[in-house]
Amino acid sequence: MYYDPDKNDHGLPHNPFKSCVAPRPIGWISTISLEGIHNLAPYSQFQNLTFDPPYVMFAANQNTRGERKDSAVNAEQTKEFVYNMATYDLREAVNRSAAEVPPEVDEFELAGVTKAPSVRVKPCRVAESPVQFECRYYGTLRLPGNGTMGTVDIIIGRVVLIHIKDDFITPDGRIDLLRIRPLARLGYYDYTTVESIFEMVIPDGNEALLAGLEGKRLK
Ligand SMILES: Cc1cc2nc3c(=O)[nH]c(=O)nc-3n(C[C@H](O)[C@H](O)[C@H](O)COP(=O)(O)O)c2cc1C
């Protein structure tokens, strides 16, 4: 089958689009407003963009009232945000932090998670999360969309400090993703986690190609 997303003529009981790019990592984004209120929200339209130096992005659609989301506004106004890794153990807190609440609400409190001060930026980190990136705002790409929520602000930030909990580093120096169980979005109301890992190396890859795959800097 194929369908035209402008017409949504897929004929299925639920829109399949979000299941066509899956699984999607969840950037659990913390920001602080100019008034000093702490904000926290999950974004599955999230990705790393490059690795040297690392940049990440999250894409904030407008809210159900057609307004720009607090995470986008705060990141733009304060020029900072933090990425926290969402995990299976933290799934209920992640979900609570998605509630559409006024900017005056402290969403760390709403989610029931602990604030850990950041080192280089003002927004706090989620202490319970195993991996966090402190990010400096780089820019916004605004894509026009349909309906109240369609228009989206793609917020790009440069990662300036990376925190990894020592407990989750294996004896051979890798991040232990099987223990962390990062949370990811499928389509519909569905989620998944990392439950198995296998390794593949590009055949006959030269040193530079393999360095890029691993994210290693070559001189
Ligand atoms: C797992 C999950 C992923 C989400 N991903 C996105 C997303 O990528 N973009 C978006 O605009 N909203 C997304 N949402 C909804 C926002 O988290 C929600 O609108 C939140 O209230 C935004 O908060 P803010 O206004 O404080 O930024 C997601 C919700 C959940 C539960």
Side-chain angles (χ1 to χ4, degrees):
M1 64 90 88
Y2 58 84
Y3 75 99
D4 174 340
D6 278 338
K7 298 190 188 123
N8 266 329
D9 52 354
H10 45 73
L12 300 170
H14 304 284
N15 192 314
F17 175 72
K18 289 196 173 188
S19 260
C20 295
V21 182
R24 279 174 291 121
I26 297 172
W28 203 9
I29 302 298
S30 42
T31 54
I32 189 167
S33 67
L34 287 178
E35 292 72 33
I37 310 294
H38 292 276
N39 192 82
L40 182 64
Y43 283 88
S44 64
Q45 296 169 158
F46 169 84
Q47 199 39 282
N48 73 314
L49 294 169
T50 179
F51 59 92
D52 191 17
Y55 282 81
V56 294
M57 57 129 272
F58 65 94
N61 287 93
Q62 294 184 154
N63 68 18
T64 56
R65 293 184 302 280
E67 300 156 346
R68 302 179 71 214
K69 291 197 179 173
D70 296 334
S71 305
V73 171
N74 292 348
E76 277 187 3
Q77 290 185 339
T78 65
K79 310 287 183 232
E80 295 173 340
F81 66 91
V82 169
Y83 154 78
N84 305 273
M85 186 186 268
T87 67
Y88 182 76
D89 285 350
L90 292 168
R91 65 194 181 285
E92 298 294 349
V94 169
N95 211 19
R96 280 194 295 274
S97 70
E100 194 172 285
V101 293
E104 306 80 65
V105 174
D106 181 321
E107 290 180 301
F108 279 72
E109 286 175 15
L110 181 78
V113 292
T114 314
K115 292 181 191 104
S118 296
V119 177
R120 297 203 182 157
V121 300
K122 275 205 271 329
C124 286
R125 297 172 292 130
V126 174
E128 292 83 355
S129 172
V131 175
Q132 309 110 7
F133 297 166
E134 299 186 20
C135 303
R136 279 203 207 295
Y137 172 81
Y138 176 80
T140 304
L141 181 61
R142 190 165 165 83
L143 304 180
N146 300 316
T148 315
M149 293 187 280
T151 294
V152 67
D153 293 309
I154 301 175
I155 306 287
I156 299 172
R158 179 172 174 167
V159 180
V160 295
L161 205 67
I162 297 175
H163 300 257
I164 304 166
K165 278 198 180 149
D166 295 336
D167 293 358
F168 291 107
I169 297 179
T170 61
D172 64 346
R174 293 176 185 230
I175 298 187
D176 194 345
L177 291 174
L178 288 177
R179 273 189 59 229
I180 288 177
R181 303 185 74 194
L183 193 63
R185 278 278 291 133
L186 304 172
Y188 317 112
Y189 299 131
D190 298 342
Y191 291 78
T192 190
T193 63
V194 174
E195 310 219 319
S196 69
I197 294 177
F198 64 93
E199 189 177 85
M200 275 203 308
V201 177
I202 301 172
D204 304 322
N206 62 33
E207 196 193 359
L209 194 61
L210 295 183
L213 190 63
E214 198 184 332
K216 192 160 67 183
R217 178 181 301 172
L218 278 191
K219 295 281 166 269

